[in-house]
Amino acid sequence: MSDFSMKTDADGVATITWDTEGKSMNVMSQQGFLDLDALIDKALADDKIKGVVITSGKDGSFAGGMDLNIIAKMKESAGDNPAKGLFEGIMATHAILRKIERAGMDDKNKGGKPIVAALSGTALGIGLEIPLACHRIIAAENPKAKIGLPEIMVGIFPGMGGTTRLVRKMGAMAASPLLLEGKLNDPKKAKSAGVVDEVVPAEELLSRAKEWVLNATDADIVKPWDAKGYKMPGGEPYHPAGFMTFVGASAMVTGKTKGVYPAAKALLSAVYEGAMVPFDTALKIEARWFTNVLMNPSSSAMIRSLFINKEALEKGANRPEAPDQTVKKLGVLGAGMMGAGIALVSAQAGIEIVLIDAKQEAADKGKSYTADYMDKGIKRGKATEEKKQQILDRITATTDYDALRGCDLIIEAVFEDPGVKAEVTQKVEAVIGDDCIFATNTSTLPISELAKASKRAEQFIGIHFFSPVEKMLLVEIIKGKETGNTAVAKALDYVRQIRKTPIVVNDARFFYANRCIIPYINEGVRMVREGVEPALIENAAKMVGMPLGPLQLTDETSIDLGVKIAKATKAAMGSDYDNDDVDEVLFWLADEGRLGRKANAGFYSYDDKGKRQGLWGDLRAKYTPYADQPDVTEVQHRLLFAQVLEAVRALEEGVLEDIREGDVGAILGWGFAPWSGGPFSWLDMMGAAKAVEHCDELTTTHGARFETPALLRETAEKGQTFYGRFGTDAKAA
């Protein structure tokens, strides 16, 4: 059955309806392009048809993007020349959209048929690129709808004509937030930005589209860039104003990406080069740069991790068989920053909340966190007083444990002390029902040990949120030794309710995320003690795609927390502990009262308002940098391998059960170089044999912490990749 159908009314207006079978939102397939092309041909050839309206059969949305299998099929179409297949496939798509745009016009721009895109709601990616080729874009009033081109967020850019058309319609400066940042707007803001032409009440959408079709003149349907004398808004690259725009854009892209994201540079190149040639040539340039990006392993890895794998995990790829576990009533124990954040996101998801703390004042303060958050949203026009009150009404702040009766999930977020957590666990189990699942939010304490305080360990699980809860996208679910499938399913269903991405790992010291990020921090601190320039450490990290250098990250998370973790880890590991050199630096800073950003003093200096001013000058005085500084690549390898090797060990030891979770968790949890697709994608990109070679060199120079894990060495010896060996295709085989 075709995703597209066409009906013509008595007035001669044909309506093409896009309705992808089995999907809540339309997704463009390869066959879909062919079906749309055939209907456009039919409409243009039929003299009885005066014009066309393209709309959606989905309530509240137009289209959510393109099926990425199209890219794979394009690559395969040219045999051993995938670039050729991609370029030809992209150009074939350009031809379809150009046919819509020209709509049967002759070389004098006469005789065409008006084609309108009627957007009932969200229009993303190809769902906006098709409307941009139409002669008019009319959107329904729908504040929840999102309109934009978010491709840059997953490592590519709009390559089906969207880049060229948006820039020619709006100018490079106005289009840059939409293209380079993937900014999405609701319909009214999209109209203000110049993306859509009209916004009308939903019930008037199709009638208004038909009205425009019947009244459109030849001049109305000629795109500005097809008209004689067209000039790009804001100026072309060789125009004084345009020149400054492109110089600034180039600097901005380099500053933000540090040169490690190929899509941003390719997009800017396509815009710059395309702006100096006729429109059809510009489309060809866009297609070439799009092909270039799609052939880059970085883009492929980002698409796999941030789109395909992320979506699979959010849909429950690793959910065990169990009945639906949707959370109806949630108990949150501890109304501090973490508990308050959990209450906020849960109430936003429509869940009834009981927020408990030892003192009523503390519980009320935790609830006020939601009120303050909503007030900020109201000021930005993102929320209303009515919405704020609805969310606050879902939260009961109390000291009374009896209020937990009827809860089907408890999340404990009290102080990181096993004794305190054990006491709370027993208090809760005295009042909750037999089916209630108990989750502990902890970043370091072993789940299996905490579960010993519970009378029903099979219903005890770890749910590790990252701070701040409302901003961080990842939630780490930790299975204890006795955790049952129902508890896992409950945790996964809950994380899906609050619209975050889950990974499921087995219990071990620091779980997965902290296990990998702590060595990154330690390696940076260790280099300071060795005499590596602090600025070199920080900039090397950012130049390889880490959002924060290890020293800045330590300031953000607080130095006293690092000291606390170090002491606890040393007590647990005894003679196996090998971070005394790191502790020397952290303990010294703590003794100096430099506890990080919260104290306005750490590795960095801060002004009175808490704004970071630069690395603390006395740091170099205490640990004098040596004259012969290491190469930036060596510093980067130390910082990256410190994380990556722990990810491999986690997989080797069974802490990780799915490398998709390892990659997605690394990017969303602590920002591991998103351009790489994650630790395992990075190793595959480098090649296991080359990675082993680097590990051996680092081990010789810097110590046993860089020793090659047996799993990595074995993968290299077999000439395999991690995704080839452990990916979903390998498991299916």
Side-chain angles (χ1 to χ4, degrees), residues 219-241:
D220 290 331
I221 67 173
V222 178
K223 289 297 183 76
W225 44 87
D226 284 327
K228 188 176 181 181
Y230 165 76
K231 291 184 179 180
M232 182 180 291
E236 290 85 353
Y238 44 81
H239 183 278

Side-chain angles (χ1 to χ4, degrees), residues 3-5 16-20 25-29 32 36 54-58 61-66 124 126-128 130-131:
D3 291 346
F4 289 88
S5 60
I16 295 177
T17 303
W18 186 359
D19 196 351
T20 305
M25 189 176 288
N26 290 322
V27 178
M28 181 61 78
S29 65
L36 175 61
I54 301 177
T55 192
S56 167
K58 306 294 184 186
S61 73
F62 180 73
M66 186 174 72
L124 304 174
I126 193 67
L128 181 56
I130 290 172

Side-chain angles (χ1 to χ4, degrees), residues 4-21:
F4 289 88
S5 60
M6 184 170 74
K7 290 184 178 180
T8 306
D9 64 18
D11 293 319
V13 177
T15 299
I16 295 177
T17 303
W18 186 359
D19 196 351
T20 305
E21 188 176 8

